[in-house]
Amino acid sequence: MTEQAIIAGCLENDAAAQRELYNQYSPKMLSICYRFSPNREDAEDMLQEAFIKVFTHIHSFQNKGSFEGWIRRIIVHTCINFLKRNKKFNDNIELSEADIVQVKEETIPSMMQAKQVVECIRLLPVGYRTVLILYAIEGYSHREIGEMLEIGESTSRSQYTRSKSLLESILIKKRIIERPALGEDLPWLASAQ
């Protein structure tokens, strides 16, 4: 079934088209939910809630831009609202618990797999993890993140900086990367400036 046929079927509330849309997009969207969630059950709840919104609001998709991108935005906003509603976003940790370290770009590809990085990101407190994902992975600006999370732009920048430091500490403690020499830059994550 083509994307246009799936959309047309969903607009008609056709169960087969809805099932096809879910089967086609749910694996990739579950991985997004899993980044935001501390456990699989919450990620699956986020996914189900988001797909209900997709089916309910599919009439608002105007064939401008990517359909997958439209679904992705619904997924991200649903995850954020889920965390806020369940009061999981305000989870925080003191930076003093993390050593401030730096990582050389060339050590990352040779020393770890993407799965290891994702698992380490999932260990971050929800607030740090959310800002890190939104900025470094999803590509939102700190202004946009501030609006979504109802925090200041400077708070988003601060949370991002702290999340990078804590992530580096976790990667070193798990012996995924080595502690580099002092004074080296952090090119493997985007700058928070």
Side-chain angles (χ1 to χ4, degrees):
M1 196 179 274
T2 68
E3 185 176 278
Q4 290 303 326
I6 291 171
I7 294 169
C10 288
L11 286 169
E12 300 289 325
N13 290 322
D14 176 55
Q18 291 173 334
R19 188 171 26 263
E20 182 65 27
L21 185 148
Y22 183 83
N23 289 340
Q24 187 171 339
Y25 292 101
S26 65
K28 188 180 287 188
M29 298 304 146
L30 180 60
S31 69
I32 294 169
C33 296
Y34 197 57
R35 288 182 205 139
F36 284 96
S37 171
N39 60 61
R40 186 162 186 89
E41 293 79 24
D42 282 351
E44 289 171 351
D45 287 348
M46 291 172 179
L47 182 72
Q48 296 305 317
E49 187 176 321
F51 268 96
I52 289 169
K53 291 178 184 177
V54 167
F55 295 133
T56 303
H57 299 288
I58 196 160
H59 65 277
S60 69
F61 177 67
Q62 300 173 353
N63 287 318
K64 295 179 182 174
S66 158
F67 183 58
E68 182 177 327
W70 180 78
I71 294 173
R72 186 183 197 102
R73 280 190 298 281
I74 292 173
I75 296 287
V76 168
H77 287 278
T78 301
C79 290
I80 291 167
N81 290 335
F82 183 94
L83 294 173
K84 284 182 184 178
R85 184 176 60 246
N86 292 299
K87 302 196 186 319
K88 295 182 180 185
F89 181 71
N90 292 327
D91 224 0
N92 215 342
I93 187 168
E94 288 299 314
L95 189 56
S96 61
E97 294 180 29
D99 297 324
I100 308 269
V101 294
Q102 297 177 335
V103 181
K104 288 179 68 173
E105 184 175 16
E106 52 272 10
T107 64
I108 299 300
S110 63
M111 297 185 72
M112 73 178 84
Q113 300 295 320
K115 184 176 179 178
Q116 291 173 301
V117 175
V118 170
E119 288 304 315
C120 289
I121 288 172
R122 290 188 69 249
L123 295 174
L124 294 172
V126 176
Y128 288 2
R129 179 175 62 234
T130 303
V131 171
L132 179 78
I133 291 168
L134 289 173
Y135 185 80
I137 298 173
E138 296 296 327
Y140 288 95
S141 71
H142 288 294
R143 180 187 54 76
E144 293 169 318
I145 295 168
E147 290 170 3
M148 281 190 274
L149 301 179
E150 299 171 0
I151 60 175
E153 185 175 338
S154 61
T155 302
S156 175
R157 288 180 191 279
S158 173
Q159 289 279 66
Y160 178 70
T161 300
R162 290 177 179 172
S163 69
K164 286 193 311 182
S165 295
L166 184 54
L167 178 59
E168 292 167 309
S169 177
I170 292 168
L171 292 170
I172 288 171
K173 286 178 183 176
K174 290 189 165 282
R175 298 180 188 267
I176 295 171
I177 60 173
E178 294 179 16
R179 184 182 308 268
L182 292 176
E184 292 179 346
D185 290 334
L186 303 173
W188 63 283
L189 282 177
S191 171
Q193 303 307 323

